[in-house]
Amino acid sequence: MQREIFNALSYATSNGYQVHPDAFAMLKGLDTDILKIIQDIIKRKIKQKENSLIVVEDIKIHINPENKVDVDVINVNGTVTTTSTPTSFSEKNLHKVILDSTANVNTGEGIEGYTTLFRSRFEKSLRILALRPESKRITKIASIKQKANTSKKGKSHHIEGNSITNSSIVAGLVMSKHSKKNGLEMIIDDYSGTLSALETTEELKKQASMITFDQMVMLEVESNMKGIQGFVIKNLVSPDIPDHLSNKSKSESYAVLISDLHVGSKYFMEAEFFRFLNWLSSTDDEIVSKIRYVCIGGDLIDGTGIFPNQDKELLEMNTTKQMMHVMDLLAKIPAHIKVFIIPGNHDLGRRALPQPSLPKKGFDKLYSFENFTMLGNPSLVELNSVKILMYHGQSLDDIIATTPGLSYSKPADAMKVLLKARHLSPIYGQRTPIAPEQEDMMVITEVPDVFHSGHVHIIDVQNYRGTLIVNSGAWQAQTKFQQTMGIVPTPGIAILINLATLQPFQMDFNQLSI
């Protein structure tokens, strides 16, 4: 396929033609002779004395020269699925829910419940590490401590230069990190016990600074090093996501990512959100005609009693009115667009993670719409082959507070830490409440193509190892609390993802012209 595209582009440029990026993306989604398409388009352009830029419309005209009906989807096999009215778009959407935490909520109680939760975290994270070759050498902590004690007694050792070494690999959850005279001490635990080990090099200390509390880590350690008591870390490995090629749609389609409306707040930007809704309903915008999905990352309403003196910042003083207001707004999203919604920490229902979907009792209107799917926090959906992990982002507060160098101005950096940990809320006992579930559903078992969060109200987009990281900002202007924290939000902006290329775009609805 790459060779075919290269030949087609070479032919175009050698004949003095350029291919628009959107047209290039569409060509990549066709399973036909791309060079032949380019040749035929150029012949037509020469005959009709048209300009030398090949655009999407040229490809559409080539595929459907009589232009009898509107083009909807260009299929993998090169055929065209057509429709005469936008209302049938939903029939062409290919989507499925891979993970919805709602169905699996099964909370335990007390110490026993949390013991079960962390056992689940350990086992699921260990299965992720098992994909690494070095994991075959993982030894229980109790075993290597016993082995080290045996070495001290002279029963078993290996001499390298002037020191006695005994290298082993262990895996466990991080209990603590402390600065010591000789380095940074990390304590981990597994089923068999706890292990204290020291990082002595600057590189390892830097790596350790990005490791969160309570996440899984794999360590290569040595015992009986000259001048140092206990274990020394030689190598440190997070579960992390692998470098990978992301899945992409075979046809050009778009998903819109938004979050944090905070309807009911005095700072909710209703005029800007109306512009967004009107734009989604426009009929003369080529991009809008290809929008198939809207993903909303939580905090639909501002709620009540979420923080001290919140009532002073509310326009609507009870949650029932807030819910009615937000349902009336979201009902304006066109019926041919599929909408996926997860809750946030300001919404009704349980605030401990994982959160089940918004309660039907309050949001019955949204549940009644065929194009709306109500999901838990987190959830994983597949939209036209692209896997999107939706997570509101409460734990970003803890990650930013405990990881050196991170700030609210760059939330994608904090989201990257979660991907490296392969866990959406690793830190227990800080600001983020975690429920004692029978299964830890916050472990990132599947590698997403897009990782979507909100919560911090700041737009930020990065690509990490093939995964597009998106924090989609908010629709709430700067609050008094944010002012005191020095947080400057970037509200009123929607993120569009071209699912055929995973190219992100920003649509700014703060502009009156939109």
Side-chain angles (χ1 to χ4, degrees):
M1 176 61 74
Q2 289 183 344
R3 173 58 60 180
E4 288 181 22
I5 293 173
F6 176 78
N7 290 339
L9 292 178
S10 296
Y11 180 86
T13 54
S14 64
N15 283 275
Y17 285 79
Q18 292 182 317
V19 180
H20 189 277
D22 289 344
F24 177 68
M26 180 176 282
L27 287 170
K28 289 197 298 182
L30 299 177
D31 190 17
T32 56
D33 189 339
I34 297 173
L35 177 59
K36 180 68 165 55
I37 292 175
I38 291 292
Q39 290 172 335
D40 290 346
I41 289 173
I42 289 176
K43 285 180 184 178
R44 183 183 61 79
K45 280 182 165 287
I46 292 173
K47 185 177 180 179
Q48 298 184 11
K49 298 181 179 180
E50 295 181 357
N51 63 43
S52 58
L53 179 64
I54 297 173
V55 296
V56 168
E57 194 59 34
D58 293 319
I59 301 172
K60 289 183 178 180
I61 291 172
H62 172 79
I63 294 172
N64 186 31
E66 296 182 7
N67 199 29
K68 289 183 179 179
V69 288
D70 298 327
V71 174
D72 183 13
V73 176
I74 301 174
N75 297 320
V76 181
N77 60 8
T79 62
V80 180
T81 302
T82 59
T83 177
S84 56
T85 60
T87 55
S88 61
F89 277 176
S90 60
E91 297 172 5
K92 313 299 184 295
N93 293 345
L94 302 173
H95 59 268
K96 65 180 179 180
V97 177
I98 299 174
L99 168 70
D100 176 8
S101 53
T102 304
N104 298 316
V105 168
N106 186 18
T107 305
E109 293 184 5
I111 295 174
E112 184 178 342
Y114 282 108
T115 299
T116 303
L117 174 73
F118 280 99
R119 281 182 177 271
S120 172
R121 177 181 301 191
F122 181 88
E123 290 165 359
K124 292 176 80 169
S125 300
L126 196 60
R127 285 196 288 272
I128 293 171
L129 284 176
L131 299 174
R132 294 175 175 268
E134 59 267 43
S135 67
K136 294 179 174 62
R137 290 180 53 205
I138 290 177
T139 306
K140 290 181 180 179
I141 287 174
S143 297
I144 73 156
K145 290 172 81 171
Q146 183 179 8
K147 187 178 178 182
N149 289 333
T150 303
S151 296
K152 286 180 181 178
K153 295 176 181 179
K155 296 180 180 178
S156 173
H157 62 264
H158 172 65
I159 298 177
E160 283 188 7
N162 295 322
S163 63
I164 302 174
T165 64
N166 195 359
S167 176
S168 301
I169 290 182
V170 293
L173 301 179
V174 177
M175 296 179 67
S176 65
K177 297 184 291 182
H178 299 287
S179 293
K180 296 287 186 178
K181 182 179 180 181
N182 294 328
L184 182 69
E185 179 191 49
M186 180 179 288
I187 300 176
I188 67 170
D189 71 334
D190 66 6
Y191 286 143
S192 68
T194 62
L195 177 79
S196 171
L198 203 63
E199 288 140 345
T200 58
T201 69
E202 291 304 316
E203 179 59 31
L204 283 173
K205 290 177 187 177
K206 184 178 178 181
Q207 287 183 46
S209 70
M210 305 304 289
I211 299 292
T212 72
F213 296 115
D214 304 316
Q215 77 157 82
M216 175 65 91
V217 68
M218 184 165 63
L219 305 178
E220 181 181 5
V221 297
E222 288 183 349
S223 61
N224 299 330
M225 293 290 287
K226 184 179 179 181
I228 299 178
Q229 296 295 319
F231 293 91
V232 174
I233 298 173
K234 286 184 62 180
N235 194 22
L236 180 154
V237 178
S238 277
D240 213 338
I241 62 169
D243 278 312
H244 63 284
L245 293 174
S246 53
N247 298 295
K248 295 176 182 177
S249 172
K250 297 299 182 182
S251 60
E252 185 180 12
S253 56
Y254 288 82
V256 180
L257 310 185
I258 62 172
S259 185
D260 293 84
L261 279 62
H262 290 272
V263 171
S265 166
K266 290 179 180 178
Y267 301 99
F268 168 52
M269 298 167 61
E270 187 155 12
E272 288 78 2
F273 197 70
F274 261 118
R275 287 189 202 122
F276 166 68
L277 294 172
N278 290 336
W279 176 73
L280 282 181
S281 301
S282 60
T283 57
D284 57 350
D285 189 303
E286 185 177 354
I287 295 294
V288 171
S289 70
K290 297 170 187 173
I291 292 174
R292 302 291 184 265
Y293 309 101
V294 171
C295 298
I296 305 178
D299 278 1
L300 276 67
I301 62 174
D302 204 51
T304 58
I306 309 296
F307 55 87
N309 300 314
Q310 184 184 10
D311 57 307
K312 296 178 181 178
E313 298 188 1
L314 292 176
L315 193 64
E316 292 165 333
M317 302 302 292
N318 66 69
T319 54
T320 300
K321 288 185 177 180
Q322 293 178 15
M323 289 185 295
M324 290 176 63
H325 191 168
V326 78
M327 286 189 289
D328 288 342
L329 289 170
L330 296 179
K332 299 180 186 299
I333 296 176
H336 67 269
I337 296 176
K338 185 67 179 174
V339 183
F340 298 90
I341 298 177
I342 65 170
N345 58 300
H346 279 250
D347 292 314
L348 291 186
R350 183 170 89 167
R351 290 179 188 159
L353 296 176
Q355 293 177 281
S357 59
L358 293 167
K360 287 185 179 180
K361 187 176 181 181
F363 291 93
D364 54 318
K365 187 174 182 179
L366 297 186
Y367 277 92
S368 70
F369 296 144
E370 290 186 5
N371 62 318
F372 278 65
T373 299
M374 314 300 284
L375 300 170
N377 174 35
S379 286
L380 181 67
V381 295
E382 184 176 288
L383 311 181
N384 290 7
S385 300
V386 177
K387 293 179 181 178
I388 300 181
L389 177 59
M390 297 176 65
Y391 168 56
H392 178 65
Q394 296 98 307
S395 63
L396 296 177
D397 292 326
D398 295 334
I399 298 298
I400 291 169
T402 59
T403 308
L406 297 188
S407 70
Y408 282 102
S409 63
K410 285 288 184 181
D413 287 337
M415 293 169 68
K416 190 189 300 182
V417 171
L418 299 181
L419 288 177
K420 289 180 178 180
R422 292 296 287 268
H423 201 282
L424 293 170
S425 186
I427 303 174
Y428 172 76
Q430 298 289 324
R431 292 175 60 178
T432 307
I434 300 172
E437 293 294 326
Q438 301 296 300
E439 177 191 354
D440 191 343
M441 288 172 274
M442 308 304 288
V443 177
I444 305 173
T445 52
E446 288 204 47
V447 178
D449 302 308
V450 179
F451 178 21
H452 173 213
S453 284
H455 187 63
V456 299
H457 294 207
I458 294 174
I459 294 279
D460 198 15
V461 180
Q462 283 189 31
N463 194 297
Y464 177 65
R465 294 193 161 191
T467 292
L468 183 67
I469 300 173
V470 177
N471 197 293
S472 56
W475 296 85
Q476 183 185 41
Q478 188 183 43
T479 65
K480 298 293 185 183
F481 173 75
Q482 289 171 338
Q483 287 179 9
T484 61
M485 294 286 290
I487 297 173
V488 181
T490 52
I493 299 171
I495 300 291
L496 275 71
I497 307 292
N498 184 339
L499 298 178
T501 63
L502 291 195
Q503 177 68 38
F505 303 90
Q506 291 190 19
M507 287 296 298
D508 190 343
F509 294 91
N510 295 284
Q511 306 298 319
L512 292 174
S513 59
I514 294 179

